Amino acid sequence: MDGNTRQNRFTFGLGTIGRDMLYAMVSMYLLVYLTEILNLSDSTMWYMTGALTILRIFDALNDPFMGILVDNTNSRYGKFKPWIAIGGIIGGLLTVLLFSDLGLTGIGYVVSFIIIYMVWDFTYGANDIAYWSMLPSLTFNQKDREKIGSFAKICGNLGAYTVVVGILPITGALGGNKKAWFIFAVGVVVITLAFLCFTLFGVKENRDLYKKQETTSLKEMFGVLFKNDQLLITAISMAVFMIGYCTTTSFGVYFFKYAFKNEGMYSVFAGILGVSQLSALTCFPVFSKKYSRKQLYTFATVLVILGYIIFFLSPMNIIPIGIAGVLIFVGQAFIQMLMLMFLTDTVEYGQWKLGRRNESITFSVQPFINKLGGAIANGIVGITLILTGINSAATPDDVSNAGLLTMKLAMLMLPLIFIVIGYIIYRTKFKIDKAMFDKIMSDLSVRGDFGTAGEDN
């Protein structure tokens, strides 16, 4: 790893600390804000659950078009950084609005929320696509990519778990009301913009790494998405995994408040999981030197399966639940890191197979997957909260044992099925291993598809 790559590893990674704080707050706690802080009625929550689910699916479908905009951008600052800046600033302002009391009720609130959320989703998508699209353009070396990607994931998880661990204690200390959540949202946005500056001003993008190509048309976008079979397989596998992952994490606050009956333990549990995931991501490059990605994915899936089974069967005791959580989230950390690497390698595979290098269209799959997973998870959680009586419960004791069992099934067993299906799809259909990637890079070099910097790698 040369000096430039080493600098990019840190400045690229630091940029996502705030981004993941912001995304965690919206994706994991917006529903909590609506049900526990605004105390929306069941009738309004039916509208909100439907609206959020449809909005996230609809906006996910827009991400490939955002990928075209990024891929076709040609500015003095490159094609990635302008969208990172625009998405970060506008998305930050809209995040504050999402956690603001607009003084509206009923359908009026639902309509205003839909408008704000749609624009937020679009701007965050622009930032996210542009950010991750930079990764395959920083280096062609697989191991260097793993180091850059793992550090970025460490930073992202550090940011996300700062919110997960801190949001309830901090908002509680501020009064636990609407104003407290507003102040917390403002703080998260300020931190997001501050850390984005590391990427905007610190990353030295080598634009000679790959050959310049013509702009991408709408027809060619569909070719990138559907003719790149390995991208398609990765997308399906990631989507199924993310549905399970997002469903489990979205139930966290509700599980500790209504099933465990000690909401304060949620932050302790989240802290344990945060340390576990960060440790797993830190160790990932070490394991990747000794084992193949296929072996690591199998090992991670076994950990996740064991964790879910222990969690489901556990009594309401933090020790076995904590052990189960560690197993689940160590495994999930490895899987998320591997998915990022699979997605990164499909850029060169697409260039090799289709003759075009489209980082941003390829990486538009990632926010598409996140939003699709979040949309379906949001629907599962929202419907579960209403049907089990949790949304209308005045106290945790108002929820029946049958309701709690239903929540546990939706939180643990359903996600486990999704995650196992994702693993089976990968094992049977994904074929880019190290030998194939080396062949792809050799063929691209012979074809002259790299710039002068790429030929030196």
Side-chain angles (χ1 to χ4, degrees):
M1 184 179 284
D2 59 31
N4 229 17
T5 304
R6 190 173 293 107
Q7 176 180 326
N8 285 343
R9 177 187 180 188
F10 291 104
T11 53
F12 178 80
L14 289 171
T16 202
I17 290 179
R19 293 175 63 260
D20 277 45
M21 289 180 70
L22 187 147
Y23 187 74
M25 185 169 186
V26 175
S27 65
M28 295 177 64
Y29 298 102
L30 184 55
L31 198 60
V32 175
Y33 177 74
L34 298 175
T35 59
E36 303 294 307
I37 305 302
L38 293 186
N39 292 314
L40 298 183
S41 65
D42 278 354
S43 59
T44 302
M45 276 306 300
W46 275 115
Y47 285 115
M48 292 299 291
T49 299
L52 275 170
T53 302
I54 294 170
L55 277 173
R56 287 176 173 176
I57 293 174
F58 177 77
D59 192 68
L61 297 175
N62 291 331
D63 284 329
F65 298 95
M66 192 65 232
I68 284 186
L69 289 179
V70 177
D71 264 337
N72 291 342
T73 298
N74 185 19
S75 75
R76 59 181 293 192
Y77 303 107
K79 61 182 180 180
F80 306 120
K81 291 184 178 181
W83 292 107
I84 291 174
I86 293 169
I89 294 169
I90 299 177
L93 295 174
L94 292 170
T95 299
V96 173
L97 283 179
L98 285 174
F99 289 92
S100 299
D101 182 7
L102 303 177
L104 301 171
T105 58
I107 297 300
Y109 177 77
V110 174
V111 172
S112 64
F113 178 89
I114 287 172
I115 294 171
I116 295 169
Y117 188 87
M118 280 185 67
V119 184
W120 175 88
D121 230 357
F122 178 80
T123 54
Y124 183 85
N127 175 279
D128 197 53
I129 291 168
Y131 178 83
W132 288 110
S133 297
M134 292 182 74
L135 178 56
S137 298
L138 299 179
T139 177
F140 284 145
N141 185 286
Q142 273 192 315
K143 294 304 177 185
D144 283 348
R145 283 181 175 180
E146 289 176 358
K147 291 177 182 177
I148 295 172
S150 63
F151 184 70
K153 282 293 183 181
I154 288 170
C155 290
N157 276 269
L158 181 61
Y161 275 101
T162 298
V163 168
V164 171
V165 173
I167 190 166
L168 295 184
I170 293 174
T171 54
L174 293 172
N177 51 22
K178 300 171 188 177
K179 182 179 179 181
W181 280 70
F182 173 80
I183 294 171
F184 191 88
V186 171
V188 167
V189 170
V190 171
I191 293 171
T192 298
L193 297 178
F195 276 99
L196 277 180
C197 290
F198 283 100
T199 298
L200 293 172
F201 301 111
V203 170
K204 305 298 181 184
E205 183 189 351
N206 190 342
R207 299 177 199 173
D208 295 324
L209 195 62
Y210 49 90
K211 223 168 77 172
K212 300 294 185 291
Q213 64 184 26
E214 296 178 357
T215 57
T216 302
S217 67
L218 190 63
K219 179 180 179 181
E220 288 164 337
M221 178 199 77
F222 286 106
V224 171
L225 293 174
F226 294 105
K227 292 182 181 179
N228 186 332
D229 58 293
Q230 294 301 285
L231 173 60
L232 201 57
I233 291 301
T234 303
I236 295 171
S237 183
M238 285 178 67
V240 177
F241 168 80
M242 286 305 297
I243 291 170
Y245 177 77
C246 291
T247 299
T248 297
T249 55
S250 296
F251 271 114
V253 172
Y254 300 104
F255 174 83
F256 277 92
K257 181 173 181 178
Y258 293 96
F260 197 81
K261 292 183 170 49
N262 185 348
E263 190 176 9
M265 286 303 296
Y266 173 75
S267 295
V268 176
F269 180 73
I272 295 170
L273 300 190
V275 172
S276 301
Q277 276 204 326
L278 291 173
S279 300
L281 290 169
T282 302
C283 295
F284 180 85
V286 177
F287 281 94
S288 70
K289 291 179 181 179
K290 298 180 179 180
Y291 304 100
S292 69
R293 291 176 177 178
K294 183 176 291 186
Q295 289 173 318
L296 291 175
Y297 198 170
T298 301
F299 171 71
T301 303
V302 170
L303 289 183
V304 170
I305 292 172
L306 288 174
Y308 271 113
I309 293 173
I310 293 171
F311 202 136
F312 184 77
L313 298 176
S314 172
M316 292 304 155
N317 185 298
I318 194 61
I319 294 177
I321 289 176
I323 292 171
V326 169
L327 292 173
I328 293 171
F329 282 82
V330 166
Q332 287 182 336
F334 269 53
I335 293 172
Q336 288 187 65
M337 186 64 213
L338 289 164
M339 290 290 187
L340 176 61
M341 294 300 102
F342 298 153
L343 188 60
T344 302
D345 288 349
T346 64
V347 172
E348 280 77 35
Y349 177 84
Q351 185 179 8
W352 176 68
K353 182 177 181 179
L354 305 174
R356 299 188 64 83
R357 182 180 179 85
N358 295 102
E359 299 100 333
S360 296
I361 294 176
T362 300
F363 272 84
S364 69
V365 167
Q366 181 162 269
F368 169 82
I369 297 303
N370 290 338
K371 291 172 184 177
L372 180 64
I376 296 175
N378 178 82
I380 293 170
V381 175
I383 292 172
T384 302
L385 295 179
I386 296 170
L387 295 180
T388 57
I390 290 175
N391 184 62
S392 58
T395 68
D397 292 331
D398 293 335
V399 183
S400 67
N401 289 333
L404 294 177
L405 177 61
T406 301
M407 181 179 70
K408 284 184 68 177
L409 288 169
M411 176 184 177
L412 300 169
M413 291 296 100
L414 187 59
L416 176 58
I417 293 170
F418 282 123
I419 290 170
V420 171
I421 291 173
Y423 170 75
I424 293 171
I425 292 170
Y426 159 75
R427 281 301 300 261
T428 56
K429 297 295 183 181
F430 193 78
K431 61 186 181 184
I432 306 177
D433 55 14
K434 186 178 186 308
M436 184 175 185
F437 184 80
D438 289 343
K439 174 176 168 48
I440 289 171
M441 298 303 292
S442 176
D443 289 350
L444 290 176
S445 181
V446 170
R447 277 167 28 182
D449 281 2
F450 297 143
T452 54
E455 292 169 357
D456 294 333
N457 285 305

